[in-house]
Amino acid sequence: MERLRSSPFHANISTTLDKHLESIHVVQARRKDEIVNASSRQRHGPPRCQDERVVLALAVVLRALCLATRKVRTVLWCAF
């Protein structure tokens, strides 16, 4: 979009896009933790309290990703 506009965006737009990308990476990391935890649980027996913490951590970062996505949509709409 910057090329179409032939001028750079406001710094807030770049910052918001960076935060969104960071949120995506955090969700990916939490999801990997959940997968590793689930595979180790199958080998070692019944679920543990730590499993709940992993799922709750994933839920928290998914909420943060949802908020970041809303902000990115708004910012990109304003930039457009």
Side-chain angles (χ1 to χ4, degrees):
M1 283 177 54
E2 285 179 327
R3 290 181 193 161
L4 294 173
R5 210 173 135 186
S6 71
S7 64
F9 286 132
H10 192 272
N12 290 343
I13 295 172
S14 298
T15 303
T16 305
L17 288 169
D18 290 340
K19 287 181 181 180
H20 185 254
L21 183 61
E22 181 182 330
S23 296
I24 291 170
H25 291 304
V26 172
V27 168
Q28 288 174 339
R30 294 294 180 260
R31 181 68 178 128
K32 286 178 186 176
D33 292 344
E34 182 190 19
I35 291 170
V36 167
N37 198 11
S39 66
S40 67
R41 180 177 30 154
Q42 289 177 349
R43 288 185 231 145
H44 299 301
R48 299 183 187 127
C49 181
Q50 188 174 1
D51 294 342
E52 293 174 9
R53 290 184 195 144
V54 172
V55 172
L56 288 175
L58 180 62
V60 168
V61 296
L62 282 173
R63 182 166 195 249
L65 178 62
C66 180
L67 294 174
T69 302
R70 287 181 191 167
K71 288 180 183 179
V72 163
R73 282 191 314 221
T74 303
V75 164
L76 289 176
W77 179 253
C78 291
F80 180 65

